């Protein structure tokens, strides 16, 4: 959220009630800023599961296949050793390194994909300029309504948020060009 309304709440319960009420009134581009994870916030916001697991699955399989292929190439093709009649392609011996390569590849690619999906690093955001917003990391709970939300009509939404128990309602980012009636 770069522009929109922010509302401060004192308790997580009040924030969750306000989110549920806002969603029932048609608001869809909502976000929550909390000092710690709140059980039920994702469901209240209507968020889907992260696509990260499905994005990383092919990389995990490729890492495992690559690890297995390197071991096979070294043991069977490039430098075969016949020690005590041991088979050169001993698949059970390749399992630990195959697993570790899968984990390593998934972790490294997952880190990069997570940064891309979350658009990080973001060193500054207009919401940081809202007075009191720094308490979102200490003891306050904030709801953000994106300026692109079709249901957002600033005077009406500000009144709705105040009626729902918001301690503070503030605009983040540059003000809108024109207000809708």
């Amino acid at each position: 959220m770069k522009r929109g309304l922010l509302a401060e709440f004192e308790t997580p319960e009040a924030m969750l009630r306000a989110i549920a009420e806002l969603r029932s009134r048609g608001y869809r581009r909502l976000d929550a800023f909390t000092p710690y994870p709140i059980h039920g916030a994702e469901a209240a916001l209507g968020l889907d599961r992260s696509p990260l697991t499905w994005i990383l699955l092919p990389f995990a399989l490729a890492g495992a296949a690559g690890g297995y292929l390197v071991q096979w190439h070294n043991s069977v093709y490039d430098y075969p050793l016949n020690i005590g009649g041991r088979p050169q392609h001993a698949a059970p011996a390749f399992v630990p390194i195959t697993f570790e390569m899968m984990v390593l590849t998934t972790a490294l690619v997952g880190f990069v994909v997570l940064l891309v999906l979350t658009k990080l690093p973001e060193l500054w955001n207009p919401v940081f300029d809202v007075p009191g917003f720094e308490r979102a990391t200490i003891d306050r709970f904030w709801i953000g309504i994106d300026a692109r939300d079709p249901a957002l009509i600033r005077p009406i939404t500000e009144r709705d948020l105040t009626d729902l128990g918001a301690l503070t309602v503030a605009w983040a980012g540059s003000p809108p060009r024109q207000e809708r009636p």
Side-chain angles (χ1 to χ4, degrees):
M1 184 180 106
K2 299 279 186 197
R3 290 180 351 121
L5 277 177
L6 288 172
E8 177 185 13
F9 292 88
E10 193 168 7
T11 65
E13 294 81 15
M15 181 194 70
L16 288 174
R17 279 192 304 273
I19 290 171
E21 183 60 32
L22 288 170
R23 288 205 33 99
S24 71
R25 293 180 185 182
Y27 294 93
R28 293 294 175 253
R29 297 181 72 90
L30 300 173
D31 203 354
F33 305 93
T34 64
Y36 51 84
I38 305 298
H39 179 70
E42 294 89 2
L45 290 168
L47 297 177
D48 296 330
R49 287 192 55 152
S50 170
L52 194 61
T53 52
W54 292 107
I55 293 170
L56 292 180
L57 178 64
F59 292 102
L61 296 175
Y68 193 90
L69 182 65
V70 165
Q71 292 177 90
W72 174 86
H73 180 269
N74 291 342
S75 296
V76 176
Y77 180 75
D78 193 31
Y79 196 68
L81 293 175
N82 186 2
I83 300 175
R86 177 184 66 87
Q88 294 187 356
H89 183 213
F94 298 168
V95 170
I97 300 301
T98 300
F99 175 76
E100 292 302 327
M101 284 301 297
M102 179 186 69
V103 171
L104 178 65
T105 304
T106 306
L108 293 176
V109 173
F111 178 71
V112 172
V113 170
L114 179 70
L115 290 179
V116 169
L117 287 178
T118 58
K119 298 178 181 114
L120 290 175
E122 182 177 47
L123 303 177
W124 180 81
N125 192 313
V127 298
F128 300 154
D129 290 338
V130 173
F133 187 75
E134 69 277 358
R135 293 187 70 185
T137 61
I138 302 169
D139 64 349
R140 291 290 190 231
F141 305 89
W142 291 76
I143 295 174
I145 304 173
D146 197 298
R148 296 171 292 177
D149 193 319
L152 177 65
I153 301 170
R154 189 171 175 184
I156 296 170
T157 305
E158 285 178 356
R159 186 183 67 238
D160 288 346
L161 289 167
T162 307
D163 292 346
L164 291 170
L167 304 174
T168 307
V169 178
W171 185 265
S174 58
R177 292 193 185 122
Q178 63 180 186
E179 295 289 331
R180 287 184 269 168

